[in-house]
Amino acid sequence: ILLVLFQEKFIRLIEPILGLLPNILHDWAGNFLSSFIKSMGLVGSLKNLLLLTLSSIVMWFFYASCGYLLFQCFSIPLTALHAITLEAFVTLGVAIPTPGLVGGFHLFTKSGLVLMGAAPVVAAAFAIMFHFIQVSCAALFGLIALPSTRISLKEVKNSMKEEVNEQ
């Protein structure tokens, strides 16, 4: 919220640092920061920011717990702290723009597990199952939350058809 309220001061503060970067990075970082600040404005209030932060923490805990349980299923001798660390790897992987998060998710999940001592073939199988669980949970949570958005499944379906037709 403070970043949105004091956007111009923040940009004036950060501009000298951005000026040290090559032009292409300067432009990219400037656009990124501008977009980030605008998106933070959508949060709207301190209460919403706190709710967003809390929900993010809950989701991280949920997915890390799923990872830890999956460690047990695959007989990977890692701890809950490893599961949280794995979530950091997953986050980096999903930041790579790929269709359906396929590729980046799997590469970073497998790489993280291998770095933590898992066998590569076990890590690859884990990544596939972990992705399936996370996508399934996201879809389920979305369906549960859908009524609160006042959007019907029919509207979602029609929107998807329109998007496909535009392509």
Side-chain angles (χ1 to χ4, degrees):
I1 302 297
L2 292 175
L3 191 58
V4 174
L5 293 175
F6 301 106
Q7 177 177 349
E8 291 178 22
K9 287 183 181 182
F10 176 77
I11 290 173
R12 280 196 306 266
L13 180 70
I14 200 81
E15 187 58 43
I17 297 168
L18 293 179
L20 299 172
L21 299 173
N23 285 343
I24 193 165
L25 285 177
H26 175 274
D27 294 344
W28 178 85
N31 288 336
F32 175 82
L33 286 173
S34 177
S35 295
F36 179 76
I37 291 168
K38 284 179 186 174
S39 67
M40 290 305 294
L42 297 174
V43 173
S45 69
L46 182 58
K47 178 185 173 188
N48 287 347
L49 180 61
L50 292 174
L51 286 171
L52 181 64
T53 302
L54 179 64
S55 66
S56 294
I57 291 168
V58 168
M59 291 304 294
W60 265 66
F61 176 78
F62 175 78
Y63 286 132
S65 297
C66 288
Y68 179 73
L69 290 173
L70 213 50
F71 290 163
Q72 309 313 305
C73 294
F74 279 84
S75 298
I76 302 172
L78 296 175
T79 67
L81 185 57
H82 289 102
I84 293 168
T85 305
L86 184 62
E87 276 306 303
F89 277 90
V90 169
T91 300
L92 291 172
V94 300
I96 298 169
T98 58
L101 307 176
V102 174
F105 180 101
H106 299 86
L107 175 66
F108 278 75
T109 301
K110 178 184 173 189
S111 299
L113 285 171
V114 169
L115 286 172
M116 293 178 213
V121 79
V122 173
F126 179 100
I128 292 167
M129 183 57 71
F130 198 37
H131 189 227
F132 173 77
I133 290 169
Q134 288 200 3
V135 169
S136 299
C137 288
L140 179 63
F141 294 151
L143 285 173
I144 291 168
L146 191 61
S148 70
T149 65
R150 296 189 176 106
I151 299 173
S152 69
L153 283 175
K154 185 176 182 179
E155 289 174 294
V156 172
K157 183 178 176 182
N158 289 340
S159 174
M160 291 173 62
K161 282 182 181 178
E162 289 172 12
E163 190 174 314
V164 168
N165 289 337
E166 289 175 5
Q167 294 177 0

